[in-house]
Amino acid sequence: MIRALRVLPGPGAALLVITGVGCTTSHRPPVTVPAPAAAPAPSQRNDIHWFRSSAEYRGLAIEIYRSASEHLPDLIRGEQAGLWAVILDADETVLDNSLNERRDADRGASFSEAEWAVWVRRRAATAIPGAVDYTRRVRQLGGKVVIVTNRVDSLCAPTRENLHAVGIDADLVLCTSPGEINKNPRFQRVQNGTAAPGLPALHVIEWLGDNIEDFPGLTQSVRTRAAGYSDFGVRYFLLPNPMYGSWVGNAEP
């Protein structure tokens, strides 16, 4: 996922500046803006409030994971157990960090790498609805569960522990090295067998994410190409995230 600029409504509205890619390091100096005089009320933070509190969000997440699971039998027909995989993003795809988002909003705080690291090391993220059952189903069918996240390598160990704690046993977690902001090289390593020692080349049959860049070769530019969506609902499954993402930079029509 991509973190970007987000505007909090309300008196003295201030930008929450979230720079960088995924849930990871920023790649340009943060912009300093004044904090609002008072933290916005939950009703004013509709993006976080909807994500955390709505029946609709929970229903959508369960629906998406259920659909992805129902497609597995057809997609793995003829596949050899242990030689196929699914790739998932971590944050807001399998791990719910909305509590941390809410705390930042309450404090009128912009994204901080140091504060983010504290949150990750707490291992306090919960599971996105449907994620645990889906990953267990993949493993039951003989597939590998691969997490490709833009959390930095120094946070990879607590990330694995957090995943395990919520019931997601990943066969591989690929974090990011400094400057590696594009997931496509890691996708390729999974597929050609160079992602980790002892892990063979894997046929990736499904991708799941909350950002368009969690899918191979795609960026926000796909929104202008109808044909670019042909794999969605079949091999690509996209979860909603109204809190942040690469979409924030798009111009409104």
Side-chain angles (χ1 to χ4, degrees):
M1 78 188 43
I2 310 298
R3 290 184 175 265
L5 296 177
R6 175 151 57 82
V7 177
L8 291 178
L15 290 176
L16 283 185
V17 178
I18 304 177
T19 59
V21 181
C23 295
T24 177
T25 182
S26 60
H27 295 277
R28 54 191 171 91
V31 178
T32 301
V33 294
S43 61
Q44 294 175 308
R45 293 181 277 109
N46 285 337
D47 50 357
I48 301 172
H49 186 51
W50 183 84
F51 190 97
R52 288 184 56 78
S53 305
S54 73
E56 290 85 354
Y57 172 74
R58 184 175 183 85
L60 280 170
I62 291 171
E63 176 184 333
I64 291 161
Y65 271 114
R66 185 174 294 158
S67 178
S69 185
E70 289 173 351
H71 278 77
L72 288 172
D74 286 338
L75 293 173
I76 67 171
R77 190 170 290 120
E79 297 285 346
Q80 183 177 340
L83 294 181
W84 62 272
V86 299
I87 289 181
L88 306 95
D89 172 55
D91 299 302
E92 279 54 76
T93 297
V94 295
L95 291 177
D96 178 350
N97 303 285
S98 60
L99 178 59
N100 187 59
E101 291 290 319
R102 188 183 73 181
R103 287 174 176 170
D104 280 351
D106 287 344
R107 294 185 296 115
S110 57
F111 177 72
S112 159
E113 293 176 18
E115 290 298 322
W116 172 249
V118 169
W119 165 257
V120 172
R121 291 186 176 113
R122 283 182 57 200
R123 304 161 180 83
T126 56
I128 296 293
V132 173
D133 287 344
Y134 171 77
T135 55
R136 287 177 177 168
R137 180 61 173 158
V138 169
R139 291 170 64 89
Q140 288 169 357
L141 292 172
K144 302 287 188 184
V145 173
V146 178
I147 306 293
V148 177
T149 172
N150 277 335
R151 291 185 175 196
V152 293
D153 280 332
S154 61
L155 298 177
C156 224
T159 297
R160 293 186 186 96
E161 292 164 6
N162 197 162
L163 288 165
H164 180 74
V166 300
I168 296 172
D169 292 319
D171 296 280
L172 178 65
V173 179
L174 290 177
C175 294
T176 185
S177 300
E180 186 184 43
I181 62 174
N182 190 322
K183 290 186 173 183
N184 288 290
R186 280 171 283 164
F187 294 159
Q188 292 167 8
R189 293 199 290 271
V190 171
Q191 293 173 95
N192 65 26
T194 60
L199 195 70
L202 297 171
H203 180 205
V204 181
I205 63 166
E206 288 184 346
W207 273 264
L208 291 92
D210 69 305
N211 189 290
I212 201 69
E213 294 179 13
D214 292 329
F215 302 92
L218 297 185
T219 66
Q220 286 294 322
S221 66
V222 74
R223 70 190 186 280
T224 63
R225 296 183 284 110
Y229 291 92
S230 60
D231 281 321
F232 284 90
V234 181
R235 299 174 62 237
Y236 298 171
F237 297 87
L238 185 62
L239 287 100
N241 179 1
M243 298 185 294
Y244 59 87
S246 59
W247 56 270
V248 176
N250 294 345
E252 291 190 21

